[in-house]
Amino acid sequence: MFARAPFFADLPAPTPAVRLRAETAADEAAREALLDAAMGPNRRRKSSEAIRRDRLPAEGLSLVAESDAGELLGTVRLWNVAAGARSGEPVPALLLGPLVVSSCCEGLGIGSALMRRAVAESRWRGHAAIVLVGDAPFYERFGFGADMAADLVMPGPFERHRLLGLALRDGALAGAAGLIVPTGLPASRALAA
């Protein structure tokens, strides 16, 4: 990977050349290994996972960061959801997550680059809003805030202060209240295709 011999320990680690690209089916094993290493064995028990389970990510919104040697260094996916309802109608949005960067590359800006690209791609594809469960100090720099998701809830336990929202269009989350539920295509559709 990017290990250094002890006698070079005082030198800064070289930053790997990184390329952001769309995820492909060939990335699955490396992505799953990266997620397991970063999030541990209980990652599939999270409330966000209940929304993602047996669903396909939103079209064109599965991204990876790859080294110039072809090593997967980071991943982010977005999922179609209804962010509660407004006036009885579901509020279309995306659920972002998980965002993970390899421990060998933490602090190099890969997570931020993936976030900027994910938000830009979402906006370019015409989506109105994004919600996520994460650390506010990191996500606030991309425009996310707890106030936008104040009246939304996740299925199962979650930490209220970590539920954040971002309106990609003015007012997209205004008045949205209730349970965040999946609306994306079932994963079984991929098998049938």
Side-chain angles (χ1 to χ4, degrees):
M1 195 176 297
F2 299 104
R4 294 177 290 164
F7 48 88
F8 290 119
D10 60 332
L11 296 176
T15 302
V18 176
R19 172 175 78 106
L20 302 183
R21 63 170 175 78
E23 178 186 302
T24 68
D27 297 318
E28 183 177 357
R31 184 192 71 243
E32 290 300 309
L34 183 61
L35 292 172
D36 286 342
M39 300 175 77
N42 292 327
R43 74 178 174 99
R44 290 182 174 86
R45 294 185 181 165
K46 296 183 176 205
S47 293
S48 296
E49 183 60 29
I51 294 172
R52 296 187 290 260
R53 188 172 296 120
D54 298 324
R55 299 286 174 161
L56 294 174
E59 172 116 15
L61 293 173
S62 295
L63 307 169
V64 296
E66 176 181 65
S67 74
D68 54 357
E71 181 181 4
L72 198 72
L73 302 177
T75 178
V76 66
R77 288 172 148 193
L78 293 102
W79 310 79
N80 293 300
V81 297
R86 177 178 40 237
S87 302
E89 293 295 318
V91 176
L94 296 167
L95 174 69
L96 186 141
L99 167 67
V100 171
V101 174
S102 174
S103 61
C104 74
C105 298
E106 289 175 358
L108 298 179
I110 294 170
S112 293
L114 282 166
M115 278 303 300
R116 283 190 297 277
R117 178 74 174 269
V119 169
E121 283 285 328
S122 299
R123 184 175 281 121
W124 183 81
R125 290 176 178 276
H127 294 282
I130 303 173
V131 293
L132 61 82
V133 177
D135 296 324
F138 177 78
Y139 291 105
E140 285 172 346
R141 72 181 95 168
F142 307 104
F144 287 85
D147 57 329
M148 297 250 189
D151 295 322
L152 298 173
V153 294
M154 297 289 289
F158 71 101
E159 296 174 79
R160 162 64 49 206
H161 69 281
R162 292 172 50 86
L163 183 57
L164 311 173
L166 170 68
L168 300 174
R169 283 191 232 142
D170 287 342
L173 290 173
L179 186 65
I180 297 170
V181 296
T183 60
L185 294 174
S188 59
R189 293 279 298 266
L191 299 175

